[in-house]
Amino acid sequence: MRCLMWMAVASLVFAGAASASVKQGDTELEIMGGFITEDASGDSGVETDSWFAAGGLGYFLNDNLQVSAAAFGFWTETDFVEPGEREEWDIDIVGVGGKARWHFMPANQLVPYVGAQLFYADADVENTFREVGELTERSSFNPDGVLWGPIAGMRFELNDNNDFFAEYQYHIWDGDIGSLLDDGHAIFVGIVHQFK
């Protein structure tokens, strides 16, 4: 009996919404962001402050396929601290591009999707090295290139106009920026607002 009750609750959670969660003609605004800060341990270690923000404007060509124009920014300051010396790295990366996502079960409240992204990315990198009693050494460079890769996620309909989403991204960096970053993994959560 208890098993049947849990199955009934689960079926209500995953049941389709009265209106389709996503459908042809929907236009959406997507927003996500975050911040992290970490301090060094005592006289040595790594200190970092990082910000990221991303957003996009998407349109459903049919009930399953969404295309969107998007942009992102990533700003980080990382310091390597040792007794008598400090190395600082400031890395700012911005990108513009687009995404395409294929949504499965678009009429359900919980909608999984897969897709791909492609961005032009530009980085500004500054390195400062300080040692007690020595002159400060500075260097900078500005690599650019392409960020691309697959994405997969799920969105959950909160109400008729807003969805919560969680998305995994695999990042592949090509071009000059590939000398700074090779590949990476990211998990994002955010809110989508639909204009219906």
Side-chain angles (χ1 to χ4, degrees):
M1 183 68 161
R2 189 174 288 192
C3 181
L4 288 174
M5 183 179 73
W6 284 111
M7 288 174 56
V9 169
S11 67
L12 287 173
V13 169
F14 294 108
S19 63
S21 183
V22 298
K23 64 182 182 298
Q24 181 176 358
D26 281 356
T27 301
E28 306 182 323
L29 178 63
E30 169 187 306
I31 300 171
M32 59 184 143
F35 173 73
I36 185 171
T37 184
E38 302 289 343
D39 290 328
S41 175
D43 292 344
S44 63
V46 178
E47 297 177 352
T48 186
D49 292 329
S50 299
W51 289 89
F52 77 87
L57 188 64
Y59 181 78
F60 278 86
L61 299 175
N62 60 42
D63 286 351
N64 301 97
L65 181 61
Q66 180 195 41
V67 293
S68 60
F72 73 88
F74 178 67
W75 304 271
T76 183
E77 296 177 4
T78 304
D79 299 342
F80 301 94
V81 183
E82 294 292 335
E85 64 183 49
R86 182 181 193 99
E87 186 171 2
E88 301 172 1
W89 285 87
D90 293 337
I91 303 172
D92 301 336
I93 305 173
V94 294
V96 294
K99 297 180 182 182
R101 297 177 178 112
W102 183 264
H103 295 75
F104 302 95
M105 303 179 299
N108 287 1
Q109 189 173 16
L110 185 65
V111 180
Y113 62 85
V114 296
Q117 62 184 351
L118 177 65
F119 288 89
Y120 166 76
D122 185 60
D124 182 22
V125 181
E126 294 183 10
N127 172 250
T128 306
F129 181 77
R130 294 183 177 97
E131 192 169 353
V132 174
E134 299 290 329
L135 293 175
T136 300
E137 297 175 27
R138 288 190 172 89
S139 63
S140 65
F141 58 105
N142 299 92
D144 66 348
V146 174
L147 164 64
W148 64 281
I151 57 179
M154 290 206 153
R155 53 191 294 160
F156 181 79
E157 184 177 27
L158 299 172
N159 56 43
D160 285 346
N161 293 85
N162 297 294
D163 289 5
F164 168 82
F165 74 93
E167 181 173 285
Y168 165 79
Q169 300 180 358
Y170 179 65
H171 293 167
I172 303 167
W173 301 87
D174 283 325
D176 292 341
I177 203 167
S179 65
L180 179 66
L181 300 164
D182 183 24
D183 64 355
H185 305 271
I187 296 176
F188 295 107
V189 294
I191 295 288
V192 172
H193 179 74
Q194 298 168 323
F195 302 95
K196 295 188 177 195

